[in-house]
Amino acid sequence: MTDMTDSQRVQKRQQPKLLLKWSWRELWQGQLWPVAVALTLIIACVFALAALVSRVEKIMTDQGRSVLAADLVLVSNNPIEPTLLSKAEALGLTFSEQTRFGTMAFSEQQMQLISVKAVGNDFPLRGQLALQDLQRSQSKVNPGELWLSERLFSLLDVKQGDTVAIGDAELRVSGKIAQDPELSFNPFSQMPAVLIHENDVAATGAVQPGGRVQYRLYFMGSDDKLAAIQDFAPLEPGQRWLSETSQGRTGEFIDRARQYLSLTLILVILMATATLVLTCQHYTSTRVETVAMMKSLGASKRWLWRWLSGQLAMLFGLSAIAGLSIGWGLEVLLRLPLADILPDPLPDMGMSPLLISMFVALLVAIPGIGISLIRLLDAPAISVIQQQADRPKNNKAYALLLLPVAAALIWFGDNKLMWMTLAGIVVVLALLAFFGLVVLSLLRKRKWGPAMMLALSRISRSPLTTGAQLAALTSSLMLLAVIWLLRTDLLADWQQTLPIDAPNVFAINISAEQQQDYLAKLDQENIPHSEAYPVIRGRIVAVNGVDLLAKADDPEQRDEALRRELNFTWRETLPIHNDVLDGNWPEAGLAIKGVSVESGIAERLGLSVGDELGFNVNSQPFSVTVNSVRHVEWRNMRPNFYFIFTPDVMADLPATWLVSFRIESNQNDVVNQLGRDYPTVSLMDLRTMASRIQLMLQQVSLSLSVLAALGVLSGLLLVMTLLRLSMSQRQQEIKLYRTLGASRKRISATVWGEYGLMALIAGLMAVVGAEAIVAALVKWGFEMPPQWHPMLWIMLPTAAIGLVLFIISTMLKQLLQPLKS
């Protein structure tokens, strides 16, 4: 009895070693290694993508904040309250004050309306300010200094050291502003800028009660502290916050790029999850007999759980090490195309990619592997000698799906784009799977050759399995198409709104007498330019007889377009870069007083075709009828207007003219000569701003292309995994066909026909699904006009058939190999 007890103790001590050895052999010599590979790829892809997304987001955020000169800016029409400064200091935020106002600058020879920016010693908090004089350069404005934008030297006819009077103060010109980090674009309100120190504002006497003065407070600090200062200071009338996502054109494409990055990450996770689930299901299907045999030999369910838990722990540990290593290397490779434009040093990616990849892997693995293993352990011992196809399934295992669902609810929150994408994918897949079965049913009614008839019979024999295979193959093709199409549409939209040849200089205040000469001068210098637009300022005051200015008690609550004068123009035809959404522009020569309204202001003010609008120009009231509503792309740096009138409305009123044109880097002398030849014409030189926006666009575009390529590779991996597993499951059927006397040629033709047909149907359905999802995302998620992609209808089905041909050609010979005599 004692010997028996000792023997049992020895066996008990050796049992963990045996389990470990068995688990290791099962991992590498069994069918568990595909699951390990799938989990490794999930960790690697999510880590690489999350790391690159983290870096790109930080780069985009830094770029966006650099054009603000801070992390957050408060713009106010009234002086900043001291309590706000005290709160910022208490929070540990770095802050800087700025005062802006317009006034006249006088030199001995000339005078010019200018925009004065009075800054402190610590401006800017972000970005670079470059000031140059004849001997040196500096990055801070000191008291007593006056720095001019380059074109003011010719407009005021001054040089460094000359005296310029600004209000009551006389300041000596210290040099030129070589680079100002703050970007803005409004050719109608921009004036040449000068920089002075905030200590010199009082000496100018230009800031008076009731004057048009703007106060800005710049903040720099952590995001939580920035949120705290915003909560402490709710906006009052005449105030607004500026951040990297609210700063005009740069904020818009940064926000869209962020949405795309997040969406790409989610779609890659979905495709990687599908790959893991498929491989795990295949593994469990090959281990039913093993588990049944172990149960027949007396193994308890608890022991089996220990056996499988050891395998899973080893699998997850090895996958984590391999996945993180591969992911790190993959992230390095993904950065290679961006090497020339990424900042040096790179932003730190932090710990979030590691935590996200491990957390996602756990959330995916628990239900993805757990459901299959629970059902595997429920296999009865009799399965050793007889398959139990109709045995009851443990539906409680599906409760594990609550983990990723709960995580998605917390992660996505109120992100409408994500929920819209997921809901669209589910609906589209269900519809496409149904239509796929309908198409297959219709094909069976036609007469085909023996091989094709056998293939159709095989496909239609199990509609649920066929529907699942079609849905899986379609979804993988569709998701990779969605990733690439969204990237293509975003880049096309950005290139369209800010093309390489976009205008970068605006000439305004051109008198009627100078207009023809000015255009002739541009033509003489071979400078491409826009048409000349007459410009006159006025207000909209009424709609259908209702006074708009009397509708709101608080003037600050009125629409922004009602609180100021607007720039009006008139034309024989509408600009070619405006799209008419409703109504019609009258034919040339018809004396019909009308106005075309920009769609944004039409929506805000509730305007539509046929409404009668009241305007006031130079104290002269008049009324016209809305004849059309048009879409205006404000980001394209072209002359754009809220209201465009027919010539018979105001052509007789005095107006100045506007023209935009493009100046290359080697044509600086042309700009200076234009300033000297036409001193009364204001030149808005936006080349610095345009080049910086183009650089940001280049960075974001390349990043999106790299991320889209990774998403496509994940989709291709899913497709190849799906096809390989499906083919391996056909091995038993192929043996049966061979036993019944089917030739190798007939079997090959049947397999080619079956999978070729499924690939063609899946490819076509994937195109339909991708077009539908992308159109919905573009229209309601990214707020861009949707468009069709004709080449996709050829490329995706062709790619699907090509993948099938590749998989079949590599596996069919192997499947037939055991049948050789």
Side-chain angles (χ1 to χ4, degrees):
M1 189 71 176
T2 305
D3 293 341
M4 193 68 173
T5 303
D6 292 341
S7 176
Q8 289 177 346
R9 288 175 179 172
V10 171
Q11 290 179 4
K12 189 174 182 179
R13 285 195 301 267
Q14 291 180 345
Q15 193 176 50
K17 296 182 180 178
L18 292 174
L19 283 176
L20 180 62
K21 187 176 181 180
W22 192 3
S23 298
W24 183 261
R25 186 170 62 249
E26 182 71 14
L27 180 61
W28 294 111
Q29 297 181 7
Q31 294 293 326
L32 197 58
W33 68 266
V35 182
V37 171
L39 193 58
T40 299
L41 290 174
I42 287 178
I43 296 174
C45 288
V46 173
F47 178 87
L49 196 58
L52 191 58
V53 165
S54 177
R55 292 193 197 274
V56 170
E57 279 202 340
K58 288 181 179 179
I59 292 170
M60 291 190 300
T61 299
D62 288 343
Q63 288 281 359
R65 291 179 172 181
S66 293
V67 303
L68 285 175
D71 295 340
L72 184 69
V73 182
L74 175 64
V75 181
S76 177
N77 293 337
N78 301 308
I80 305 297
E81 294 290 338
T83 55
L84 182 58
L85 302 178
S86 301
K87 180 63 175 179
E89 189 173 356
L91 289 172
L93 288 168
T94 304
F95 58 90
S96 176
E97 295 184 78
Q98 183 186 113
T99 305
R100 294 188 180 189
F101 56 91
T103 187
M104 292 295 296
F106 297 89
S107 65
E108 291 186 1
Q109 308 296 332
Q110 303 289 341
M111 61 181 179
Q112 176 66 39
L113 186 63
I114 61 171
S115 174
V116 180
K117 294 168 60 174
V119 301
N121 295 324
D122 48 5
F123 177 85
L125 301 182
R126 278 188 177 270
Q128 294 183 346
L129 175 65
L131 307 172
Q132 292 182 353
D133 60 21
L134 296 177
Q135 288 80 32
R136 57 188 175 84
S137 61
Q138 63 187 66
S139 58
K140 302 294 181 184
V141 178
N142 300 312
E145 294 180 344
L146 172 64
W147 299 89
L148 308 180
S149 57
E150 185 173 6
R151 59 196 178 91
L152 271 176
F153 284 89
S154 58
L155 293 176
L156 292 175
D157 194 14
V158 295
K159 60 182 183 300
Q160 183 178 328
D162 289 347
T163 300
V164 173
I166 298 179
D168 298 332
E170 293 190 353
L171 301 171
R172 290 190 177 276
V173 177
S174 304
K176 71 174 181 178
I177 305 171
Q179 179 178 326
D180 187 344
E182 293 184 283
L183 298 185
S184 62
F185 175 66
N186 187 343
F188 301 114
S189 63
Q190 273 196 353
M191 296 176 289
V194 304
L195 289 178
I196 65 173
H197 196 272
E198 60 181 0
N199 294 347
D200 298 325
V201 173
T204 66
V207 177
Q208 299 294 334
R212 299 189 65 176
V213 184
Q214 186 184 89
Y215 302 89
R216 294 193 173 203
L217 185 57
Y218 297 78
F219 299 97
M220 184 173 67
S222 61
D223 290 342
D224 57 336
K225 292 180 179 180
L226 295 176
I229 198 69
Q230 287 181 282
D231 293 337
F232 175 79
L235 293 178
E236 299 177 356
Q239 292 184 336
R240 70 182 189 277
W241 291 105
L242 295 181
S243 67
E244 74 275 6
T245 59
S246 64
Q247 185 68 346
R249 73 186 71 243
T250 55
E252 185 172 322
F253 74 69
I254 286 175
D255 187 54
R256 287 181 176 178
R258 279 179 170 168
Q259 288 180 313
Y260 180 82
L261 296 177
S262 301
L263 189 60
T264 302
L265 181 58
I266 295 301
L267 294 182
V268 168
I269 291 174
L270 288 177
M271 291 186 289
T273 302
T275 305
L276 176 66
V277 171
L278 289 172
T279 53
C280 191
Q281 287 179 347
H282 180 65
Y283 166 74
T284 55
S285 67
T286 63
R287 285 298 175 265
V288 172
E289 293 182 1
T290 303
V291 170
M293 180 188 67
M294 295 169 71
K295 281 187 174 183
S296 67
L297 295 176
S300 65
K301 203 169 185 178
R302 182 179 179 183
W303 188 90
L304 290 172
W305 266 118
R306 288 176 57 194
W307 172 58
L308 289 174
S309 298
Q311 292 184 36
L312 293 179
M314 183 185 299
L315 179 147
F316 194 86
L318 292 174
S319 298
I321 295 173
L324 293 176
S325 302
I326 295 173
W328 180 82
L330 185 59
E331 194 269 340
V332 174
L333 291 176
L334 289 174
R335 283 194 274 113
L336 290 180
L338 311 176
D340 294 336
I341 61 172
L342 288 178
D344 187 20
L346 280 173
D348 183 20
M349 64 182 175
M351 294 294 293
S352 59
L354 186 148
L355 297 176
I356 289 174
S357 60
M358 299 305 295
F359 185 63
V360 167
L362 279 173
L363 288 176
V364 168
I366 289 174
I369 299 177
I371 294 174
S372 296
L373 292 183
I374 290 174
R375 295 175 61 184
L376 174 63
L377 291 180
D378 288 339
I382 196 174
S383 296
V384 175
I385 58 176
Q386 182 180 1
Q387 293 292 332
Q388 302 293 309
D390 58 345
R391 61 186 175 91
K393 297 179 180 180
N394 188 351
N395 293 324
K396 293 182 180 179
Y398 290 101
L400 295 176
L401 292 173
L402 294 176
L403 286 175
V405 170
L409 289 172
I410 297 173
W411 189 5
F412 295 163
D414 58 352
N415 191 325
K416 296 180 180 179
L417 180 66
M418 293 299 178
W419 290 117
M420 182 172 62
T421 304
L422 294 179
I425 290 173
V426 172
V427 172
V428 169
L429 284 181
L431 291 174
L432 292 180
F434 172 75
F435 285 123
L437 293 176
V438 171
V439 171
L440 289 173
S441 177
L442 294 175
L443 289 175
R444 286 196 66 192
K445 296 180 179 180
R446 295 181 60 87
K447 290 185 178 181
W448 305 91
M452 182 60 72
M453 289 299 296
L454 186 60
L456 288 171
S457 175
R458 166 67 183 82
I459 293 174
S460 303
R461 190 182 312 148
S462 179
L464 289 178
T465 302
T466 302
Q469 289 180 341
L470 273 176
L473 184 57
T474 302
S475 64
S476 55
L477 293 170
M478 183 180 68
L479 290 179
L480 68 89
V482 167
I483 290 175
W484 192 256
L485 290 183
L486 277 179
R487 169 258 180 201
T488 303
D489 285 356
L490 280 176
L491 297 188
D493 176 71
W494 291 338
Q495 293 295 341
Q496 181 181 358
T497 56
L498 192 60
I500 298 299
D501 59 348
N504 53 18
V505 178
F506 278 75
I508 61 176
N509 296 328
I510 305 173
S511 67
E513 294 77 14
Q514 294 174 318
Q515 176 203 348
Q516 295 300 324
D517 290 342
Y518 201 93
L519 295 178
K521 180 68 174 179
L522 295 177
D523 292 334
Q524 180 182 344
E525 298 290 343
N526 295 319
I527 297 175
H529 60 83
S530 69
E531 299 178 57
Y533 290 80
V535 178
I536 191 168
R537 297 182 66 82
R539 290 179 180 271
I540 176 174
V541 295
V543 178
N544 295 325
V546 178
D547 189 350
L548 294 176
L549 303 183
K551 290 181 66 175
D553 296 332
D554 185 359
E556 296 295 339
Q557 300 302 316
R558 299 172 184 159
D559 186 270
E560 185 267 342
L562 301 177
R563 299 200 301 265
R564 62 181 177 86
E565 287 188 330
L566 304 175
N567 295 284
F568 300 149
T569 191
W570 57 92
R571 291 174 54 87
E572 291 282 353
T573 59
L574 290 177
I576 58 173
H577 55 273
N578 287 184
D579 298 322
V580 176
L581 304 179
D582 189 19
N584 294 287
W585 186 258
E587 296 181 7
L590 295 180
I592 301 176
K593 291 187 176 183
V595 62
S596 179
V597 185
E598 185 266 340
S599 57
I601 195 173
E603 182 178 355
R604 299 198 306 271
L605 299 183
L607 309 180
S608 58
V609 174
D611 285 344
E612 185 179 13
L613 307 185
F615 295 89
N616 192 309
V617 174
N618 294 336
S619 299
Q620 299 181 31
F622 60 89
S623 298
V624 294
T625 301
V626 177
N627 58 32
S628 60
V629 176
R630 64 204 150 74
H631 170 72
V632 174
E633 180 52 72
W634 296 100
R635 299 171 297 167
N636 59 18
M637 297 184 73
R638 299 177 185 272
N640 285 311
F641 300 83
Y642 282 126
F643 298 96
I644 299 179
F645 295 85
T646 53
D648 53 348
V649 176
M650 56 174 62
D652 295 333
L653 296 177
T656 58
W657 293 75
L658 159 74
V659 65
S660 65
F661 49 92
R662 180 168 186 82
I663 292 292
E664 303 299 339
S665 57
N666 59 350
Q667 294 179 305
N668 290 327
D669 294 341
V670 176
V671 177
N672 295 333
Q673 188 61 46
L674 285 171
R676 288 189 293 267
D677 293 344
Y678 301 92
T680 60
V681 175
S682 298
L683 285 176
M684 306 290 107
D685 192 347
L686 306 175
R687 283 176 291 172
T688 300
M689 184 190 77
S691 62
R692 291 177 63 187
I693 292 177
Q694 288 285 3
L695 177 61
M696 291 178 65
L697 181 58
Q698 183 186 14
Q699 290 178 333
V700 175
S701 300
L702 282 175
S703 300
L704 296 194
S705 298
V706 171
L707 295 177
L710 180 58
V712 170
L713 290 177
S714 299
L716 293 177
L717 174 66
L718 173 57
V719 174
M720 295 180 69
T721 302
L722 173 67
L723 292 173
R724 282 184 173 275
L725 294 180
S726 178
M727 286 289 292
S728 64
Q729 292 169 357
R730 296 292 311 279
Q731 191 164 11
Q732 294 297 325
E733 292 185 20
I734 291 176
K735 289 181 180 179
L736 178 60
Y737 290 156
R738 290 287 282 152
T739 302
L740 295 176
S743 65
R744 296 168 62 91
K745 184 177 180 181
R746 175 64 56 83
I747 294 175
S748 299
T750 301
V751 173
W752 285 108
E754 176 185 346
Y755 282 94
L757 184 60
M758 288 187 64
L760 178 61
I761 294 174
L764 291 174
M765 292 195 303
V767 173
V768 176
E771 289 280 23
I773 292 175
V774 170
L777 288 174
V778 165
K779 182 174 179 61
W780 290 294
F782 294 95
E783 297 181 352
M784 300 186 310
Q787 54 184 324
W788 296 106
H789 309 85
M791 287 301 298
L792 185 69
W793 292 81
I794 300 174
M795 294 176 61
L796 197 59
T798 303
I801 295 174
L803 280 173
V804 167
L805 294 177
F806 173 76
I807 297 298
I808 293 178
S809 62
T810 56
M811 292 196 66
L812 187 58
K813 185 176 180 180
Q814 179 183 354
L815 292 177
L816 294 174
Q817 190 70 26
L819 301 178
K820 286 185 177 181
S821 55

